[in-house]
Amino acid sequence: MTTPNDFSRCIVQYDPHALPVSSAQAIVREWASPVTAVERVPLHDALDRVLAEDIVSPISVPAHDNSAMDGYAFDGAVLAGASLTGQPGTIGLRVAGKALAGHAFERTIKTGECVRVMTGALIPSGCDTVVPQEVVTREGETIHFPANALTCGANRRLAGEDLAQGQPALRAGRVVRASDLGLLASLGIGEVSVRRRLRVAFFSTGDELRSLGEPLDPGCVYDSNRHTLFAMLRRMNIVALDLGVVRDEPAALEAALRNAAESADVVLTSGGVSVGEADFTKQLVRTFGDVAFWSLAMRPGRPLAFGRVWSGGRPGAGQPALFFGLPGNPVAVMVTFYQIVREALIVMSGATVPPQPVITATSTQAIRKRAGRTEFQRGVATRDEYGQWRVTPTGSQGSGVLSSMSEANCFLMLAHEQSDIDAGDAVDIMLFDGLV
Ligand code: AMP
Ligand code: MG
């Protein structure tokens, strides 16, 4: 197998007609190496970035024991005393003062006393238990409550129960989420180290493609792939460099590929990787880059070229960039992005690859499926009244029918060996939400 550091010419070592999806994913994972540059950013700019350092708590959160309720703090030993005497009865305590959040009760309580406390107030010295005010009857400066209403230590938040000083609070490789910004702030941290953002250059190929604003000549289509790729990259917080549409001409394609390799870590193209007369991308990359594979046992997404391109126009010359030559069909672009490209981009961003939840659902329909390739059909999944997932394939599964992606909320993942499916059979599904 080729390795990420093997910059010699790559001879394709896999049966180009039958590379299973799992093997392709393994090769891509092996070739993808994380960006190493790191920058310090203020807290808000860390959102959706990849942490480059473990965050160790400089303090405990909370810093002190405090009340989880509005109520009265007291010494919980009196509860044990009440049950020892066998009296189910009532505990009576005298209110010695009060503690608000941010305003402590300064002295130590005496036997038979309690302190009025609000949520977040420090637990006064000598107290370890809080009785909620709803449970209490108050007459003047005395409270009463049933001894069996709570146990010793109740309604007390312990110092460090959220985060303990000196413990790792967040690990390097984490993509920073909303809760993490709050968590970092709770530690008093206003700046963190993150990896530099991954840069991905992309362009579409095809003489028939028109860009927005151009008239649609006969036989032409608007270029949609650049816009779906832009959106998916944006969702992953990757720097997306749109290099436009490139005509089906070897010289133009070579210039575009070299320019892309010069400016980005990864180059994505769409179209031109099949076996048609104007499909030059794959041949070009084979001439001046490394191609690891160009055909997958996958549907949609069979023609997919993967390798490395060099800005200098030959292997080892200039800047290298990982190269994905995606198919032209718009659905195939999205499916291959989700299934093959996405993980490589996560790894290259320096992030830990999160587990990808797969759910088992009952297919409402029979599905035709040929063994020997992995299929990713588009489906609509819902939960029935018993909480079970059911999935219905969207109508047309043609790889040019982009509306099927918009209609769907999941892929039906039909495994390599799987053959036809009956209505009522269990199938694996992957929900789109949260993937990019
Ligand atoms: P190709 O892989 O270049 O043979 O393209 C396969 C099909 O996808 C053809 O019908 C193309 O017109 C279509 N196609 C290729 N690129 C795009 C694009 N960027 N936007 C929309 N359709 C495309
Ligand atoms: Mg084409």
Short mmCIF file of all heavy atoms in Angstrom, two decimals, residues 207-241:
data_model
loop_
_atom_site.label_atom_id
_atom_site.label_comp_id
_atom_site.label_asym_id
_atom_site.label_seq_id
_atom_site.Cartn_x
_atom_site.Cartn_y
_atom_site.Cartn_z
N ASP A 207 -17.43 21.45 -20.89
CA ASP A 207 -17.74 22.50 -21.87
C ASP A 207 -19.21 22.90 -21.82
O ASP A 207 -19.59 23.96 -22.31
CB ASP A 207 -17.40 21.99 -23.29
CG ASP A 207 -15.89 21.94 -23.52
OD1 ASP A 207 -15.15 22.47 -22.66
OD2 ASP A 207 -15.47 21.36 -24.54
N GLU A 208 -20.05 22.00 -21.25
CA GLU A 208 -21.49 22.29 -21.21
C GLU A 208 -21.89 23.14 -20.02
O GLU A 208 -23.05 23.53 -19.91
CB GLU A 208 -22.28 20.96 -21.19
CG GLU A 208 -22.35 20.24 -19.84
CD GLU A 208 -21.08 19.47 -19.47
OE1 GLU A 208 -19.99 19.85 -19.93
OE2 GLU A 208 -21.17 18.51 -18.68
N LEU A 209 -20.96 23.44 -19.13
CA LEU A 209 -21.33 24.11 -17.88
C LEU A 209 -21.40 25.62 -18.05
O LEU A 209 -20.54 26.24 -18.67
CB LEU A 209 -20.34 23.77 -16.77
CG LEU A 209 -20.22 22.29 -16.44
CD1 LEU A 209 -19.22 22.07 -15.32
CD2 LEU A 209 -21.58 21.69 -16.08
N ARG A 210 -22.44 26.19 -17.48
CA ARG A 210 -22.60 27.64 -17.47
C ARG A 210 -22.67 28.10 -16.02
O ARG A 210 -23.23 27.42 -15.17
CB ARG A 210 -23.89 28.05 -18.21
CG ARG A 210 -23.84 27.78 -19.71
CD ARG A 210 -22.81 28.68 -20.42
NE ARG A 210 -22.65 28.35 -21.83
CZ ARG A 210 -21.76 27.48 -22.32
NH1 ARG A 210 -20.95 26.82 -21.50
NH2 ARG A 210 -21.68 27.24 -23.61
N SER A 211 -22.10 29.28 -15.79
CA SER A 211 -22.13 29.83 -14.43
C SER A 211 -23.36 30.70 -14.27
O SER A 211 -23.97 31.13 -15.27
CB SER A 211 -20.87 30.65 -14.17
OG SER A 211 -19.74 29.80 -14.20
N LEU A 212 -23.71 31.00 -13.04
CA LEU A 212 -24.88 31.84 -12.76
C LEU A 212 -24.72 33.18 -13.46
O LEU A 212 -23.62 33.73 -13.50
CB LEU A 212 -25.03 32.05 -11.25
CG LEU A 212 -25.24 30.76 -10.45
CD1 LEU A 212 -25.34 31.05 -8.96
CD2 LEU A 212 -26.49 30.04 -10.94
N GLY A 213 -25.81 33.65 -14.05
CA GLY A 213 -25.76 34.92 -14.75
C GLY A 213 -25.49 34.77 -16.22
O GLY A 213 -25.72 35.70 -17.00
N GLU A 214 -24.98 33.60 -16.65
CA GLU A 214 -24.74 33.39 -18.08
C GLU A 214 -25.99 32.82 -18.72
O GLU A 214 -26.75 32.10 -18.06
CB GLU A 214 -23.58 32.39 -18.28
CG GLU A 214 -22.23 32.95 -17.89
CD GLU A 214 -21.10 31.92 -18.07
OE1 GLU A 214 -21.37 30.78 -18.45
OE2 GLU A 214 -19.95 32.29 -17.80
N PRO A 215 -26.21 33.12 -20.01
CA PRO A 215 -27.37 32.51 -20.67
C PRO A 215 -27.14 31.01 -20.82
O PRO A 215 -26.00 30.56 -20.96
CB PRO A 215 -27.41 33.21 -22.04
CG PRO A 215 -26.07 33.83 -22.22
CD PRO A 215 -25.44 34.01 -20.88
N LEU A 216 -28.25 30.26 -20.77
CA LEU A 216 -28.15 28.81 -20.88
C LEU A 216 -28.28 28.41 -22.35
O LEU A 216 -29.38 28.29 -22.88
CB LEU A 216 -29.25 28.16 -20.03
CG LEU A 216 -29.03 26.72 -19.62
CD1 LEU A 216 -27.73 26.54 -18.85
CD2 LEU A 216 -30.20 26.24 -18.77
N ASP A 217 -27.16 28.25 -23.03
CA ASP A 217 -27.17 27.87 -24.45
C ASP A 217 -27.74 26.47 -24.60
O ASP A 217 -27.74 25.70 -23.64
CB ASP A 217 -25.75 27.93 -25.01
CG ASP A 217 -25.15 29.33 -24.86
OD1 ASP A 217 -25.93 30.30 -25.02
OD2 ASP A 217 -23.95 29.44 -24.55
N PRO A 218 -28.17 26.13 -25.82
CA PRO A 218 -28.73 24.79 -26.03
C PRO A 218 -27.71 23.73 -25.62
O PRO A 218 -26.52 23.86 -25.90
CB PRO A 218 -28.97 24.74 -27.55
CG PRO A 218 -29.07 26.17 -27.98
CD PRO A 218 -28.22 26.96 -27.05
N GLY A 219 -28.20 22.70 -24.95
CA GLY A 219 -27.33 21.59 -24.55
C GLY A 219 -26.49 21.88 -23.31
O GLY A 219 -25.67 21.07 -22.91
N CYS A 220 -26.69 23.06 -22.72
CA CYS A 220 -25.87 23.42 -21.55
C CYS A 220 -26.65 23.24 -20.25
O CYS A 220 -27.87 23.17 -20.25
CB CYS A 220 -25.39 24.86 -21.67
SG CYS A 220 -24.21 25.03 -23.01
N VAL A 221 -25.92 23.16 -19.15
CA VAL A 221 -26.55 23.11 -17.82
C VAL A 221 -25.82 24.10 -16.92
O VAL A 221 -24.66 24.42 -17.15
CB VAL A 221 -26.45 21.70 -17.17
CG1 VAL A 221 -27.24 20.67 -17.94
CG2 VAL A 221 -25.00 21.25 -17.00
N TYR A 222 -26.55 24.59 -15.94
CA TYR A 222 -25.87 25.42 -14.94
C TYR A 222 -24.99 24.55 -14.06
O TYR A 222 -25.37 23.42 -13.71
CB TYR A 222 -26.89 26.18 -14.09
CG TYR A 222 -27.48 27.38 -14.80
CD1 TYR A 222 -28.84 27.47 -15.04
CD2 TYR A 222 -26.64 28.41 -15.23
CE1 TYR A 222 -29.37 28.57 -15.70
CE2 TYR A 222 -27.17 29.51 -15.89
CZ TYR A 222 -28.53 29.58 -16.13
OH TYR A 222 -29.04 30.66 -16.78
N ASP A 223 -23.85 25.08 -13.73
CA ASP A 223 -22.92 24.39 -12.84
C ASP A 223 -23.49 24.41 -11.43
O ASP A 223 -23.56 25.47 -10.79
CB ASP A 223 -21.58 25.15 -12.89
CG ASP A 223 -20.58 24.66 -11.86
OD1 ASP A 223 -20.84 23.61 -11.24
OD2 ASP A 223 -19.56 25.34 -11.69
N SER A 224 -23.92 23.27 -10.94
CA SER A 224 -24.42 23.22 -9.56
C SER A 224 -23.35 22.70 -8.60
O SER A 224 -23.36 23.02 -7.41
CB SER A 224 -25.68 22.36 -9.46
OG SER A 224 -25.39 21.04 -9.84
N ASN A 225 -22.42 21.90 -9.09
CA ASN A 225 -21.47 21.23 -8.18
C ASN A 225 -20.63 22.19 -7.36
O ASN A 225 -20.35 21.95 -6.19
CB ASN A 225 -20.53 20.31 -8.97
CG ASN A 225 -21.27 19.12 -9.55
OD1 ASN A 225 -22.38 18.80 -9.09
ND2 ASN A 225 -20.69 18.48 -10.54
N ARG A 226 -20.23 23.30 -8.00
CA ARG A 226 -19.39 24.24 -7.25
C ARG A 226 -20.15 24.81 -6.05
O ARG A 226 -19.55 25.17 -5.04
CB ARG A 226 -18.94 25.39 -8.15
CG ARG A 226 -17.65 25.09 -8.88
CD ARG A 226 -17.09 26.32 -9.51
NE ARG A 226 -18.02 26.93 -10.43
CZ ARG A 226 -18.26 28.23 -10.51
NH1 ARG A 226 -17.63 29.08 -9.72
NH2 ARG A 226 -19.12 28.70 -11.39
N HIS A 227 -21.45 24.89 -6.19
CA HIS A 227 -22.23 25.50 -5.11
C HIS A 227 -22.49 24.50 -3.98
O HIS A 227 -22.43 24.87 -2.80
CB HIS A 227 -23.51 26.10 -5.69
CG HIS A 227 -23.18 27.11 -6.75
ND1 HIS A 227 -22.75 28.38 -6.43
CD2 HIS A 227 -23.09 26.99 -8.10
CE1 HIS A 227 -22.46 29.02 -7.57
NE2 HIS A 227 -22.65 28.19 -8.58
N THR A 228 -22.74 23.23 -4.33
CA THR A 228 -22.88 22.24 -3.25
C THR A 228 -21.53 22.05 -2.55
O THR A 228 -21.48 21.97 -1.32
CB THR A 228 -23.40 20.89 -3.76
OG1 THR A 228 -22.79 20.58 -4.99
CG2 THR A 228 -24.89 20.89 -3.93
N LEU A 229 -20.45 22.02 -3.32
CA LEU A 229 -19.14 21.84 -2.68
C LEU A 229 -18.80 23.03 -1.79
O LEU A 229 -18.32 22.86 -0.67
CB LEU A 229 -18.05 21.65 -3.75
CG LEU A 229 -18.06 20.28 -4.43
CD1 LEU A 229 -17.02 20.23 -5.54
CD2 LEU A 229 -17.81 19.16 -3.42
N PHE A 230 -19.07 24.24 -2.28
CA PHE A 230 -18.85 25.43 -1.45
C PHE A 230 -19.60 25.27 -0.12
O PHE A 230 -19.05 25.51 0.95
CB PHE A 230 -19.34 26.69 -2.18
CG PHE A 230 -19.65 27.81 -1.24
CD1 PHE A 230 -18.63 28.59 -0.74
CD2 PHE A 230 -20.95 28.05 -0.83
CE1 PHE A 230 -18.90 29.61 0.18
CE2 PHE A 230 -21.24 29.05 0.07
CZ PHE A 230 -20.21 29.84 0.58
N ALA A 231 -20.87 24.84 -0.21
CA ALA A 231 -21.70 24.77 0.99
C ALA A 231 -21.17 23.71 1.96
O ALA A 231 -21.12 23.93 3.18
CB ALA A 231 -23.14 24.46 0.60
N MET A 232 -20.78 22.57 1.43
CA MET A 232 -20.31 21.50 2.31
C MET A 232 -18.99 21.89 2.98
O MET A 232 -18.77 21.61 4.15
CB MET A 232 -20.19 20.19 1.53
CG MET A 232 -21.55 19.69 1.05
SD MET A 232 -21.44 18.28 -0.05
CE MET A 232 -21.79 16.96 1.09
N LEU A 233 -18.13 22.55 2.22
CA LEU A 233 -16.85 22.99 2.79
C LEU A 233 -17.08 24.07 3.84
O LEU A 233 -16.46 24.08 4.91
CB LEU A 233 -15.92 23.50 1.69
CG LEU A 233 -15.45 22.44 0.69
CD1 LEU A 233 -14.80 23.08 -0.53
CD2 LEU A 233 -14.49 21.46 1.36
N ARG A 234 -18.00 24.99 3.55
CA ARG A 234 -18.31 26.06 4.48
C ARG A 234 -18.83 25.49 5.79
O ARG A 234 -18.44 25.90 6.88
CB ARG A 234 -19.35 26.99 3.84
CG ARG A 234 -20.02 27.97 4.76
CD ARG A 234 -19.07 29.01 5.36
NE ARG A 234 -18.64 29.99 4.38
CZ ARG A 234 -19.30 31.12 4.07
NH1 ARG A 234 -20.43 31.40 4.68
NH2 ARG A 234 -18.85 31.95 3.18
N ARG A 235 -19.69 24.48 5.67
CA ARG A 235 -20.22 23.82 6.87
C ARG A 235 -19.13 23.20 7.72
O ARG A 235 -19.25 23.07 8.93
CB ARG A 235 -21.23 22.73 6.48
CG ARG A 235 -22.59 23.25 6.18
CD ARG A 235 -23.24 23.68 7.49
NE ARG A 235 -24.50 24.33 7.31
CZ ARG A 235 -25.66 23.71 7.19
NH1 ARG A 235 -25.70 22.41 7.21
NH2 ARG A 235 -26.76 24.38 7.04
N MET A 236 -18.05 22.78 7.05
CA MET A 236 -16.95 22.15 7.78
C MET A 236 -15.91 23.19 8.23
O MET A 236 -14.86 22.83 8.73
CB MET A 236 -16.27 21.08 6.93
CG MET A 236 -17.18 19.91 6.62
SD MET A 236 -16.36 18.65 5.62
CE MET A 236 -15.31 17.87 6.86
N ASN A 237 -16.25 24.46 8.03
CA ASN A 237 -15.36 25.57 8.40
C ASN A 237 -13.99 25.47 7.73
O ASN A 237 -12.95 25.71 8.35
CB ASN A 237 -15.21 25.67 9.93
CG ASN A 237 -14.71 27.03 10.34
OD1 ASN A 237 -14.93 28.02 9.65
ND2 ASN A 237 -14.04 27.10 11.47
N ILE A 238 -14.03 25.07 6.46
CA ILE A 238 -12.80 24.94 5.67
C ILE A 238 -12.72 26.15 4.75
O ILE A 238 -13.75 26.66 4.29
CB ILE A 238 -12.86 23.62 4.87
CG1 ILE A 238 -12.61 22.45 5.83
CG2 ILE A 238 -11.90 23.61 3.70
CD1 ILE A 238 -12.89 21.10 5.26
N VAL A 239 -11.50 26.63 4.48
CA VAL A 239 -11.34 27.74 3.54
C VAL A 239 -11.59 27.18 2.14
O VAL A 239 -10.86 26.31 1.67
CB VAL A 239 -9.92 28.34 3.63
CG1 VAL A 239 -9.75 29.47 2.61
CG2 VAL A 239 -9.63 28.83 5.04
N ALA A 240 -12.65 27.66 1.50
CA ALA A 240 -13.06 27.12 0.19
C ALA A 240 -12.63 28.09 -0.91
O ALA A 240 -13.07 29.23 -0.94
CB ALA A 240 -14.58 26.94 0.17
N LEU A 241 -11.76 27.63 -1.80
CA LEU A 241 -11.26 28.47 -2.89
C LEU A 241 -11.93 28.03 -4.18
O LEU A 241 -11.63 26.96 -4.72
CB LEU A 241 -9.74 28.32 -3.00
CG LEU A 241 -8.95 28.58 -1.71
CD1 LEU A 241 -7.51 28.12 -1.86
CD2 LEU A 241 -9.01 30.06 -1.37
#
